[in-house]
């Protein structure tokens, strides 16, 4: 068993560093940007004319539909639709390669879930804080940037960290679009050495190792964010 690990573990770790981790990091950064924009727009209450409010309602419906469709369908199906299905309709620019297709799907899928976490964090801020800030003469933008966003960010950190951990594991699905990440490589090696059980247990252990290492910064980020609450007290 030790010889087996010494032979195949380095190959899987290299594949993880070269493909799995970059894919997860790039997708997560894009997902957080998408999630923040969607959450803010869906949480915003417009002070506008009836026509302006109707436009906001249409936009919010589109955003709701985006969140609904990506939360209601399996990521594996989404990957197949983007990589194999859309080019049949002539929409090949969305998936010129497996990498681009995987980043699109991982980002949009994670962004849909993360947007709900951020929106819940925004909604958890008491209305009394908004009212007090407005009484001091702060604009809606100032209230959001100085009062709402800092608190919502701190509240959403644990959920976003969990989303990132899930995303690292979900990169294994990218094997269906021919990205040679850890799981894809383990499948190829299992087909050669005829040891599927050992191979998949080994790749599972390496995923667990990567997730454990990537989880460490979460505690320090949470402590850094929590110190602002302590300072306020």
């Amino acid at each position: 068993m030790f010889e087996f690990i010494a032979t195949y573990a380095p190959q899987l770790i290299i594949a993880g560093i070269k493909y799995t981790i970059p894919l997860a990091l790039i997708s997560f950064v894009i997902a957080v940007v998408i999630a923040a924009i969607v959450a803010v727009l869906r949480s915003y209450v417009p002070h506008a004319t009836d026509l302006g409010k109707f436009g906001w309602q249409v936009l919010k419906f589109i955003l709701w539909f985006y969140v609904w469709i990506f939360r209601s369908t399996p990521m594996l199906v989404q990957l197949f639709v983007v990589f194999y299905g859309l080019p049949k309709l002539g929409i090949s620019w969305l998936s010129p390669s497996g990498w681009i297709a995987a980043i699109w799907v991982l980002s949009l899928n994670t962004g849909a879930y993360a947007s709900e976490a951020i929106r819940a964090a925004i909604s958890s801020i008491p209305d009394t804080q908004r009212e007090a800030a407005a009484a001091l003469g702060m604009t809606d933008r100032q209230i959001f940037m100085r009062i709402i966003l800092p608190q919502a960010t701190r509240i959403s950190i644990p959920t976003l960290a969990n989303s990132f951990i899930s995303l690292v594991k979900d990169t294994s699905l990218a094997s269906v679009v021919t990205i040679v990440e850890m799981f894809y490589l383990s499948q190829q090696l299992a087909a050669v050495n005829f040891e599927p059980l050992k191979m998949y247990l080994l790749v599972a252990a390496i995923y667990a190792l990567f997730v454990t290492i990537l989880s460490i910064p979460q505690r320090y980020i949470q402590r850094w964010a929590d110190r602002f609450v302590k300072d306020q007290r």
Side-chain angles (χ1 to χ4, degrees), residues 30-85:
I30 298 173
V32 170
V33 174
I34 293 172
I37 294 172
V38 171
V40 169
L41 291 177
R42 292 188 70 193
S43 301
Y44 180 69
V45 179
H47 301 287
T49 62
D50 292 339
L51 181 61
K53 288 182 179 180
F54 176 76
W56 272 102
Q57 291 302 320
V58 172
L59 176 61
K60 286 186 177 184
F61 174 78
I62 293 171
L63 296 176
W64 169 85
F65 182 79
Y66 150 68
V67 173
W68 173 78
I69 196 69
F70 276 92
R71 294 180 68 200
S72 303
T73 55
M75 188 184 294
L76 183 61
V77 175
Q78 295 164 14
L79 281 166
F80 271 86
V81 168
V82 172
F83 188 69
Y84 296 107

Tab-separated table of all heavy atoms in Angstrom, residues 30-85:
chain	number	residue	atom	x	y	z
A	30	ILE	N	-15.023	34.634	-9.195
A	30	ILE	CA	-16.102	35.081	-10.090
A	30	ILE	C	-17.460	34.876	-9.427
A	30	ILE	O	-18.355	35.730	-9.519
A	30	ILE	CB	-16.033	34.322	-11.431
A	30	ILE	CG1	-14.710	34.627	-12.139
A	30	ILE	CG2	-17.212	34.696	-12.326
A	30	ILE	CD1	-14.479	33.791	-13.385
A	31	ALA	N	-17.618	33.746	-8.728
A	31	ALA	CA	-18.894	33.442	-8.074
A	31	ALA	C	-19.231	34.471	-7.000
A	31	ALA	O	-20.394	34.878	-6.869
A	31	ALA	CB	-18.845	32.045	-7.452
A	32	VAL	N	-18.234	34.895	-6.231
A	32	VAL	CA	-18.486	35.881	-5.175
A	32	VAL	C	-18.914	37.216	-5.769
A	32	VAL	O	-19.815	37.882	-5.248
A	32	VAL	CB	-17.234	36.056	-4.288
A	32	VAL	CG1	-17.391	37.246	-3.347
A	32	VAL	CG2	-16.982	34.793	-3.481
A	33	VAL	N	-18.276	37.607	-6.871
A	33	VAL	CA	-18.665	38.849	-7.546
A	33	VAL	C	-20.112	38.751	-8.036
A	33	VAL	O	-20.932	39.659	-7.830
A	33	VAL	CB	-17.716	39.162	-8.719
A	33	VAL	CG1	-18.210	40.357	-9.510
A	33	VAL	CG2	-16.298	39.407	-8.205
A	34	ILE	N	-20.438	37.629	-8.682
A	34	ILE	CA	-21.803	37.418	-9.166
A	34	ILE	C	-22.785	37.427	-7.999
A	34	ILE	O	-23.842	38.076	-8.042
A	34	ILE	CB	-21.906	36.087	-9.933
A	34	ILE	CG1	-21.086	36.154	-11.226
A	34	ILE	CG2	-23.363	35.741	-10.238
A	34	ILE	CD1	-20.981	34.825	-11.950
A	35	ALA	N	-22.441	36.715	-6.931
A	35	ALA	CA	-23.326	36.598	-5.769
A	35	ALA	C	-23.577	37.956	-5.128
A	35	ALA	O	-24.716	38.276	-4.747
A	35	ALA	CB	-22.723	35.634	-4.754
A	36	ALA	N	-22.523	38.753	-4.995
A	36	ALA	CA	-22.673	40.071	-4.370
A	36	ALA	C	-23.592	40.961	-5.199
A	36	ALA	O	-24.485	41.635	-4.654
A	36	ALA	CB	-21.306	40.722	-4.198
A	37	ILE	N	-23.386	40.970	-6.509
A	37	ILE	CA	-24.218	41.806	-7.386
A	37	ILE	C	-25.676	41.355	-7.329
A	37	ILE	O	-26.599	42.177	-7.178
A	37	ILE	CB	-23.690	41.755	-8.832
A	37	ILE	CG1	-22.298	42.415	-8.913
A	37	ILE	CG2	-24.659	42.446	-9.788
A	37	ILE	CD1	-21.623	42.249	-10.256
A	38	VAL	N	-25.895	40.056	-7.441
A	38	VAL	CA	-27.265	39.528	-7.434
A	38	VAL	C	-27.937	39.807	-6.095
A	38	VAL	O	-29.102	40.239	-6.039
A	38	VAL	CB	-27.253	38.014	-7.735
A	38	VAL	CG1	-28.640	37.407	-7.512
A	38	VAL	CG2	-26.794	37.756	-9.160
A	39	ALA	N	-27.216	39.574	-4.989
A	39	ALA	CA	-27.801	39.773	-3.667
A	39	ALA	C	-28.166	41.230	-3.425
A	39	ALA	O	-29.244	41.539	-2.901
A	39	ALA	CB	-26.823	39.288	-2.599
A	40	VAL	N	-27.282	42.143	-3.817
A	40	VAL	CA	-27.534	43.574	-3.609
A	40	VAL	C	-28.730	44.031	-4.443
A	40	VAL	O	-29.621	44.739	-3.944
A	40	VAL	CB	-26.282	44.403	-3.960
A	40	VAL	CG1	-26.610	45.890	-3.999
A	40	VAL	CG2	-25.174	44.139	-2.952
A	41	LEU	N	-28.771	43.620	-5.702
A	41	LEU	CA	-29.867	44.042	-6.572
A	41	LEU	C	-31.206	43.465	-6.110
A	41	LEU	O	-32.238	44.145	-6.168
A	41	LEU	CB	-29.589	43.626	-8.016
A	41	LEU	CG	-28.433	44.364	-8.707
A	41	LEU	CD1	-28.204	43.806	-10.106
A	41	LEU	CD2	-28.716	45.861	-8.782
A	42	ARG	N	-31.191	42.223	-5.645
A	42	ARG	CA	-32.439	41.619	-5.184
A	42	ARG	C	-32.895	42.182	-3.839
A	42	ARG	O	-34.079	42.129	-3.507
A	42	ARG	CB	-32.289	40.099	-5.073
A	42	ARG	CG	-32.117	39.395	-6.406
A	42	ARG	CD	-32.158	37.889	-6.234
A	42	ARG	NE	-33.497	37.441	-5.878
A	42	ARG	CZ	-33.767	36.218	-5.432
A	42	ARG	NH1	-32.789	35.336	-5.271
A	42	ARG	NH2	-34.996	35.881	-5.119
A	43	SER	N	-31.954	42.729	-3.068
A	43	SER	CA	-32.295	43.283	-1.757
A	43	SER	C	-32.688	44.752	-1.830
A	43	SER	O	-33.287	45.278	-0.891
A	43	SER	CB	-31.110	43.132	-0.789
A	43	SER	OG	-30.749	41.778	-0.632
A	44	TYR	N	-32.341	45.395	-2.929
A	44	TYR	CA	-32.567	46.835	-3.034
A	44	TYR	C	-34.053	47.152	-3.200
A	44	TYR	O	-34.754	46.514	-3.985
A	44	TYR	CB	-31.791	47.403	-4.218
A	44	TYR	CG	-31.960	48.901	-4.395
A	44	TYR	CD1	-31.428	49.789	-3.480
A	44	TYR	CD2	-32.678	49.411	-5.479
A	44	TYR	CE1	-31.590	51.155	-3.636
A	44	TYR	CE2	-32.841	50.780	-5.651
A	44	TYR	CZ	-32.292	51.641	-4.713
A	44	TYR	OH	-32.456	52.992	-4.865
A	45	VAL	N	-34.514	48.115	-2.433
A	45	VAL	CA	-35.900	48.579	-2.543
A	45	VAL	C	-35.879	49.939	-3.234
A	45	VAL	O	-35.414	50.925	-2.657
A	45	VAL	CB	-36.556	48.710	-1.160
A	45	VAL	CG1	-37.994	49.232	-1.307
A	45	VAL	CG2	-36.541	47.382	-0.428
A	46	PRO	N	-36.330	50.022	-4.477
A	46	PRO	CA	-36.209	51.270	-5.235
A	46	PRO	C	-37.163	52.352	-4.751
A	46	PRO	O	-38.295	52.065	-4.370
A	46	PRO	CB	-36.548	50.841	-6.663
A	46	PRO	CG	-37.444	49.670	-6.499
A	46	PRO	CD	-36.975	48.959	-5.255
A	47	HIS	N	-36.673	53.584	-4.754
A	47	HIS	CA	-37.521	54.748	-4.498
A	47	HIS	C	-37.644	55.491	-5.823
A	47	HIS	O	-36.911	56.423	-6.110
A	47	HIS	CB	-36.897	55.644	-3.428
A	47	HIS	CG	-36.687	54.945	-2.132
A	47	HIS	ND1	-37.720	54.625	-1.278
A	47	HIS	CD2	-35.555	54.478	-1.534
A	47	HIS	CE1	-37.249	54.017	-0.207
A	47	HIS	NE2	-35.943	53.904	-0.346
A	48	ALA	N	-38.555	55.018	-6.658
A	48	ALA	CA	-38.645	55.555	-8.015
A	48	ALA	C	-40.109	55.634	-8.438
A	48	ALA	O	-41.021	55.321	-7.675
A	48	ALA	CB	-37.855	54.671	-8.980
A	49	THR	N	-40.297	56.050	-9.678
A	49	THR	CA	-41.640	56.128	-10.241
A	49	THR	C	-42.170	54.716	-10.480
A	49	THR	O	-41.442	53.723	-10.367
A	49	THR	CB	-41.603	56.894	-11.571
A	49	THR	OG1	-40.773	56.178	-12.492
A	49	THR	CG2	-41.047	58.291	-11.371
A	50	ASP	N	-43.447	54.641	-10.826
A	50	ASP	CA	-44.050	53.331	-11.096
A	50	ASP	C	-43.333	52.617	-12.230
A	50	ASP	O	-43.130	51.405	-12.194
A	50	ASP	CB	-45.533	53.509	-11.435
A	50	ASP	CG	-46.352	53.967	-10.231
A	50	ASP	OD1	-45.871	53.761	-9.098
A	50	ASP	OD2	-47.438	54.537	-10.423
A	51	LEU	N	-42.924	53.399	-13.267
A	51	LEU	CA	-42.208	52.792	-14.390
A	51	LEU	C	-40.865	52.252	-13.929
A	51	LEU	O	-40.459	51.153	-14.312
A	51	LEU	CB	-42.019	53.827	-15.507
A	51	LEU	CG	-41.297	53.312	-16.773
A	51	LEU	CD1	-42.106	52.180	-17.398
A	51	LEU	CD2	-41.103	54.454	-17.769
A	52	GLY	N	-40.182	53.026	-13.077
A	52	GLY	CA	-38.893	52.570	-12.563
A	52	GLY	C	-39.042	51.336	-11.699
A	52	GLY	O	-38.233	50.411	-11.776
A	53	LYS	N	-40.085	51.308	-10.889
A	53	LYS	CA	-40.323	50.136	-10.042
A	53	LYS	C	-40.632	48.910	-10.889
A	53	LYS	O	-40.218	47.799	-10.556
A	53	LYS	CB	-41.481	50.419	-9.079
A	53	LYS	CG	-41.121	51.408	-7.973
A	53	LYS	CD	-42.295	51.608	-7.028
A	53	LYS	CE	-41.922	52.580	-5.911
A	53	LYS	NZ	-43.047	52.805	-4.975
A	54	PHE	N	-41.360	49.108	-11.992
A	54	PHE	CA	-41.665	47.973	-12.884
A	54	PHE	C	-40.380	47.409	-13.480
A	54	PHE	O	-40.202	46.192	-13.561
A	54	PHE	CB	-42.604	48.433	-13.997
A	54	PHE	CG	-42.886	47.357	-15.017
A	54	PHE	CD1	-43.754	46.315	-14.723
A	54	PHE	CD2	-42.257	47.383	-16.264
A	54	PHE	CE1	-44.000	45.312	-15.658
A	54	PHE	CE2	-42.497	46.380	-17.192
A	54	PHE	CZ	-43.369	45.353	-16.885
A	55	GLY	N	-39.451	48.308	-13.871
A	55	GLY	CA	-38.168	47.858	-14.399
A	55	GLY	C	-37.388	47.061	-13.378
A	55	GLY	O	-36.781	46.032	-13.705
A	56	TRP	N	-37.427	47.512	-12.113
A	56	TRP	CA	-36.742	46.777	-11.060
A	56	TRP	C	-37.369	45.402	-10.842
A	56	TRP	O	-36.662	44.416	-10.589
A	56	TRP	CB	-36.773	47.569	-9.758
A	56	TRP	CG	-35.622	48.519	-9.618
A	56	TRP	CD1	-35.619	49.868	-9.816
A	56	TRP	CD2	-34.273	48.172	-9.274
A	56	TRP	NE1	-34.359	50.378	-9.622
A	56	TRP	CE2	-33.519	49.370	-9.281
A	56	TRP	CE3	-33.642	46.971	-8.955
A	56	TRP	CZ2	-32.156	49.399	-8.983
A	56	TRP	CZ3	-32.285	47.000	-8.657
A	56	TRP	CH2	-31.553	48.193	-8.671
A	57	GLN	N	-38.686	45.342	-10.915
A	57	GLN	CA	-39.363	44.061	-10.730
A	57	GLN	C	-38.983	43.076	-11.833
A	57	GLN	O	-38.808	41.874	-11.579
A	57	GLN	CB	-40.885	44.265	-10.705
A	57	GLN	CG	-41.391	45.008	-9.480
A	57	GLN	CD	-41.011	44.320	-8.185
A	57	GLN	OE1	-41.051	43.095	-8.068
A	57	GLN	NE2	-40.617	45.117	-7.187
A	58	VAL	N	-38.863	43.573	-13.064
A	58	VAL	CA	-38.442	42.713	-14.177
A	58	VAL	C	-37.022	42.211	-13.934
A	58	VAL	O	-36.714	41.021	-14.111
A	58	VAL	CB	-38.517	43.475	-15.515
A	58	VAL	CG1	-37.901	42.645	-16.645
A	58	VAL	CG2	-39.963	43.819	-15.852
A	59	LEU	N	-36.130	43.122	-13.516
A	59	LEU	CA	-34.745	42.733	-13.232
A	59	LEU	C	-34.687	41.716	-12.103
A	59	LEU	O	-33.958	40.716	-12.192
A	59	LEU	CB	-33.928	43.973	-12.872
A	59	LEU	CG	-32.465	43.717	-12.444
A	59	LEU	CD1	-31.690	43.043	-13.568
A	59	LEU	CD2	-31.803	45.021	-12.022
A	60	LYS	N	-35.461	41.950	-11.054
A	60	LYS	CA	-35.458	41.019	-9.924
A	60	LYS	C	-36.001	39.656	-10.329
A	60	LYS	O	-35.531	38.622	-9.838
A	60	LYS	CB	-36.276	41.601	-8.767
A	60	LYS	CG	-35.574	42.737	-8.037
A	60	LYS	CD	-36.366	43.174	-6.797
A	60	LYS	CE	-35.615	44.247	-6.035
A	60	LYS	NZ	-36.306	44.622	-4.785
A	61	PHE	N	-36.978	39.634	-11.236
A	61	PHE	CA	-37.501	38.350	-11.715
A	61	PHE	C	-36.420	37.592	-12.487
A	61	PHE	O	-36.263	36.377	-12.321
A	61	PHE	CB	-38.721	38.559	-12.605
A	61	PHE	CG	-39.215	37.281	-13.236
A	61	PHE	CD1	-39.965	36.386	-12.508
A	61	PHE	CD2	-38.885	36.969	-14.557
A	61	PHE	CE1	-40.400	35.194	-13.083
A	61	PHE	CE2	-39.311	35.785	-15.137
A	61	PHE	CZ	-40.067	34.892	-14.398
A	62	ILE	N	-35.675	38.310	-13.328
A	62	ILE	CA	-34.594	37.671	-14.096
A	62	ILE	C	-33.555	37.083	-13.145
A	62	ILE	O	-33.087	35.951	-13.337
A	62	ILE	CB	-33.941	38.680	-15.058
A	62	ILE	CG1	-34.939	39.097	-16.141
A	62	ILE	CG2	-32.688	38.092	-15.702
A	62	ILE	CD1	-34.464	40.240	-17.014
A	63	LEU	N	-33.193	37.853	-12.111
A	63	LEU	CA	-32.209	37.379	-11.136
A	63	LEU	C	-32.753	36.202	-10.335
A	63	LEU	O	-32.029	35.244	-10.054
A	63	LEU	CB	-31.807	38.522	-10.200
A	63	LEU	CG	-31.096	39.703	-10.868
A	63	LEU	CD1	-30.849	40.810	-9.861
A	63	LEU	CD2	-29.781	39.259	-11.497
A	64	TRP	N	-34.034	36.279	-9.977
A	64	TRP	CA	-34.651	35.152	-9.267
A	64	TRP	C	-34.621	33.902	-10.136
A	64	TRP	O	-34.338	32.802	-9.645
A	64	TRP	CB	-36.098	35.494	-8.902
A	64	TRP	CG	-36.856	34.289	-8.407
A	64	TRP	CD1	-36.887	33.792	-7.137
A	64	TRP	CD2	-37.667	33.397	-9.199
A	64	TRP	NE1	-37.669	32.660	-7.076
A	64	TRP	CE2	-38.156	32.392	-8.328
A	64	TRP	CE3	-38.026	33.369	-10.548
A	64	TRP	CZ2	-38.989	31.372	-8.780
A	64	TRP	CZ3	-38.846	32.339	-10.980
A	64	TRP	CH2	-39.320	31.364	-10.111
A	65	PHE	N	-34.927	34.061	-11.413
A	65	PHE	CA	-34.942	32.915	-12.318
A	65	PHE	C	-33.546	32.308	-12.443
A	65	PHE	O	-33.404	31.079	-12.464
A	65	PHE	CB	-35.446	33.336	-13.703
A	65	PHE	CG	-35.533	32.190	-14.677
A	65	PHE	CD1	-36.603	31.304	-14.624
A	65	PHE	CD2	-34.540	31.985	-15.630
A	65	PHE	CE1	-36.679	30.230	-15.515
A	65	PHE	CE2	-34.605	30.919	-16.511
A	65	PHE	CZ	-35.686	30.040	-16.462
A	66	TYR	N	-32.522	33.156	-12.518
A	66	TYR	CA	-31.137	32.659	-12.574
A	66	TYR	C	-30.821	31.817	-11.339
A	66	TYR	O	-30.284	30.700	-11.446
A	66	TYR	CB	-30.164	33.834	-12.688
A	66	TYR	CG	-28.820	33.571	-12.063
A	66	TYR	CD1	-27.937	32.633	-12.592
A	66	TYR	CD2	-28.426	34.256	-10.911
A	66	TYR	CE1	-26.705	32.373	-11.997
A	66	TYR	CE2	-27.202	34.009	-10.320
A	66	TYR	CZ	-26.351	33.071	-10.864
A	66	TYR	OH	-25.134	32.816	-10.267
A	67	VAL	N	-31.143	32.350	-10.160
A	67	VAL	CA	-30.870	31.617	-8.921
A	67	VAL	C	-31.674	30.319	-8.885
A	67	VAL	O	-31.153	29.253	-8.533
A	67	VAL	CB	-31.197	32.491	-7.691
A	67	VAL	CG1	-31.085	31.673	-6.400
A	67	VAL	CG2	-30.253	33.692	-7.634
A	68	TRP	N	-32.925	30.404	-9.292
A	68	TRP	CA	-33.793	29.221	-9.251
A	68	TRP	C	-33.290	28.123	-10.171
A	68	TRP	O	-33.223	26.958	-9.769
A	68	TRP	CB	-35.213	29.625	-9.649
A	68	TRP	CG	-36.133	28.440	-9.808
A	68	TRP	CD1	-36.737	27.723	-8.813
A	68	TRP	CD2	-36.534	27.825	-11.049
A	68	TRP	NE1	-37.492	26.707	-9.352
A	68	TRP	CE2	-37.386	26.739	-10.719
A	68	TRP	CE3	-36.264	28.099	-12.387
A	68	TRP	CZ2	-37.957	25.932	-11.686
A	68	TRP	CZ3	-36.835	27.285	-13.349
A	68	TRP	CH2	-37.664	26.224	-12.997
A	69	ILE	N	-32.915	28.457	-11.400
A	69	ILE	CA	-32.533	27.439	-12.367
A	69	ILE	C	-31.241	26.748	-11.976
A	69	ILE	O	-31.091	25.533	-12.139
A	69	ILE	CB	-32.432	28.034	-13.801
A	69	ILE	CG1	-32.422	26.919	-14.844
A	69	ILE	CG2	-31.203	28.919	-13.953
A	69	ILE	CD1	-33.716	26.186	-14.983
A	70	PHE	N	-30.285	27.497	-11.414
A	70	PHE	CA	-29.006	26.875	-11.057
A	70	PHE	C	-29.082	26.124	-9.732
A	70	PHE	O	-28.290	25.211	-9.500
A	70	PHE	CB	-27.893	27.928	-11.005
A	70	PHE	CG	-27.301	28.219	-12.351
A	70	PHE	CD1	-27.794	29.236	-13.140
A	70	PHE	CD2	-26.254	27.451	-12.845
A	70	PHE	CE1	-27.259	29.494	-14.399
A	70	PHE	CE2	-25.711	27.690	-14.090
A	70	PHE	CZ	-26.220	28.718	-14.873
A	71	ARG	N	-30.021	26.497	-8.867
A	71	ARG	CA	-30.194	25.748	-7.621
A	71	ARG	C	-31.105	24.544	-7.798
A	71	ARG	O	-31.112	23.642	-6.954
A	71	ARG	CB	-30.755	26.659	-6.527
A	71	ARG	CG	-29.821	27.771	-6.098
A	71	ARG	CD	-30.446	28.623	-5.005
A	71	ARG	NE	-30.577	27.880	-3.773
A	71	ARG	CZ	-31.413	28.207	-2.783
A	71	ARG	NH1	-32.204	29.251	-2.923
A	71	ARG	NH2	-31.459	27.491	-1.688
A	72	SER	N	-31.857	24.524	-8.877
A	72	SER	CA	-32.860	23.464	-9.062
A	72	SER	C	-32.397	22.356	-9.994
A	72	SER	O	-33.110	21.359	-10.144
A	72	SER	CB	-34.165	24.072	-9.605
A	72	SER	OG	-34.656	25.071	-8.753
A	73	THR	N	-31.247	22.513	-10.618
A	73	THR	CA	-30.754	21.489	-11.543
A	73	THR	C	-29.361	21.027	-11.123
A	73	THR	O	-28.588	21.806	-10.562
A	73	THR	CB	-30.690	22.038	-12.987
A	73	THR	OG1	-29.891	23.243	-12.996
A	73	THR	CG2	-32.081	22.381	-13.492
A	74	PRO	N	-29.023	19.774	-11.386
A	74	PRO	CA	-27.708	19.254	-10.995
A	74	PRO	C	-26.578	19.931	-11.773
A	74	PRO	O	-26.721	20.243	-12.960
A	74	PRO	CB	-27.793	17.757	-11.351
A	74	PRO	CG	-29.251	17.475	-11.486
A	74	PRO	CD	-29.881	18.735	-11.968
A	75	MET	N	-25.453	20.139	-11.103
A	75	MET	CA	-24.318	20.764	-11.761
A	75	MET	C	-23.803	19.915	-12.919
A	75	MET	O	-23.340	20.437	-13.934
A	75	MET	CB	-23.183	21.009	-10.762
A	75	MET	CG	-22.036	21.831	-11.332
A	75	MET	SD	-20.648	22.035	-10.192
A	75	MET	CE	-21.408	23.026	-8.925
A	76	LEU	N	-23.895	18.602	-12.773
A	76	LEU	CA	-23.451	17.714	-13.846
A	76	LEU	C	-24.253	17.966	-15.118
A	76	LEU	O	-23.694	18.031	-16.217
A	76	LEU	CB	-23.584	16.258	-13.410
A	76	LEU	CG	-23.087	15.196	-14.399
A	76	LEU	CD1	-21.599	15.375	-14.662
A	76	LEU	CD2	-23.376	13.797	-13.882
A	77	VAL	N	-25.556	18.131	-14.971
A	77	VAL	CA	-26.413	18.420	-16.117
A	77	VAL	C	-26.049	19.773	-16.722
A	77	VAL	O	-26.000	19.937	-17.947
A	77	VAL	CB	-27.897	18.391	-15.707
A	77	VAL	CG1	-28.786	18.822	-16.869
A	77	VAL	CG2	-28.288	17.006	-15.219
A	78	GLN	N	-25.781	20.751	-15.874
A	78	GLN	CA	-25.403	22.082	-16.344
A	78	GLN	C	-24.116	22.023	-17.173
A	78	GLN	O	-24.003	22.685	-18.205
A	78	GLN	CB	-25.230	23.021	-15.158
A	78	GLN	CG	-26.516	23.267	-14.390
A	78	GLN	CD	-26.270	23.876	-13.018
A	78	GLN	OE1	-25.176	24.352	-12.722
A	78	GLN	NE2	-27.291	23.862	-12.162
A	79	LEU	N	-23.150	21.234	-16.724
A	79	LEU	CA	-21.901	21.077	-17.470
A	79	LEU	C	-22.153	20.464	-18.847
A	79	LEU	O	-21.585	20.916	-19.852
A	79	LEU	CB	-20.917	20.214	-16.682
A	79	LEU	CG	-20.155	20.905	-15.545
A	79	LEU	CD1	-19.496	19.871	-14.645
A	79	LEU	CD2	-19.103	21.853	-16.113
A	80	PHE	N	-23.000	19.457	-18.897
A	80	PHE	CA	-23.312	18.817	-20.178
A	80	PHE	C	-24.026	19.788	-21.117
A	80	PHE	O	-23.751	19.820	-22.318
A	80	PHE	CB	-24.167	17.569	-19.959
A	80	PHE	CG	-23.364	16.315	-19.744
A	80	PHE	CD1	-22.911	15.971	-18.485
A	80	PHE	CD2	-23.031	15.498	-20.811
A	80	PHE	CE1	-22.150	14.826	-18.290
A	80	PHE	CE2	-22.274	14.345	-20.633
A	80	PHE	CZ	-21.831	14.007	-19.357
A	81	VAL	N	-24.945	20.574	-20.560
A	81	VAL	CA	-25.691	21.536	-21.387
A	81	VAL	C	-24.745	22.568	-21.987
A	81	VAL	O	-24.793	22.875	-23.189
A	81	VAL	CB	-26.789	22.229	-20.554
A	81	VAL	CG1	-27.370	23.416	-21.311
A	81	VAL	CG2	-27.899	21.241	-20.218
A	82	VAL	N	-23.854	23.131	-21.146
A	82	VAL	CA	-22.956	24.197	-21.609
A	82	VAL	C	-21.895	23.666	-22.565
A	82	VAL	O	-21.626	24.271	-23.611
A	82	VAL	CB	-22.298	24.901	-20.399
A	82	VAL	CG1	-21.211	25.875	-20.864
A	82	VAL	CG2	-23.347	25.651	-19.590
A	83	PHE	N	-21.289	22.522	-22.224
A	83	PHE	CA	-20.156	22.039	-23.022
A	83	PHE	C	-20.580	21.267	-24.266
A	83	PHE	O	-19.978	21.416	-25.327
A	83	PHE	CB	-19.253	21.166	-22.160
A	83	PHE	CG	-17.970	20.771	-22.839
A	83	PHE	CD1	-16.991	21.719	-23.109
A	83	PHE	CD2	-17.737	19.466	-23.222
A	83	PHE	CE1	-15.803	21.371	-23.735
A	83	PHE	CE2	-16.548	19.102	-23.858
A	83	PHE	CZ	-15.585	20.063	-24.113
A	84	TYR	N	-21.626	20.457	-24.119
A	84	TYR	CA	-22.035	19.610	-25.242
A	84	TYR	C	-23.296	20.123	-25.958
A	84	TYR	O	-23.446	19.913	-27.169
A	84	TYR	CB	-22.304	18.171	-24.763
A	84	TYR	CG	-21.079	17.485	-24.217
A	84	TYR	CD1	-20.932	17.267	-22.846
A	84	TYR	CD2	-20.070	17.037	-25.061
A	84	TYR	CE1	-19.806	16.632	-22.331
A	84	TYR	CE2	-18.940	16.400	-24.558
A	84	TYR	CZ	-18.813	16.203	-23.197
A	84	TYR	OH	-17.695	15.578	-22.690
A	85	GLY	N	-24.189	20.774	-25.193
A	85	GLY	CA	-25.461	21.166	-25.772
A	85	GLY	C	-25.459	22.495	-26.498
A	85	GLY	O	-25.915	22.590	-27.645
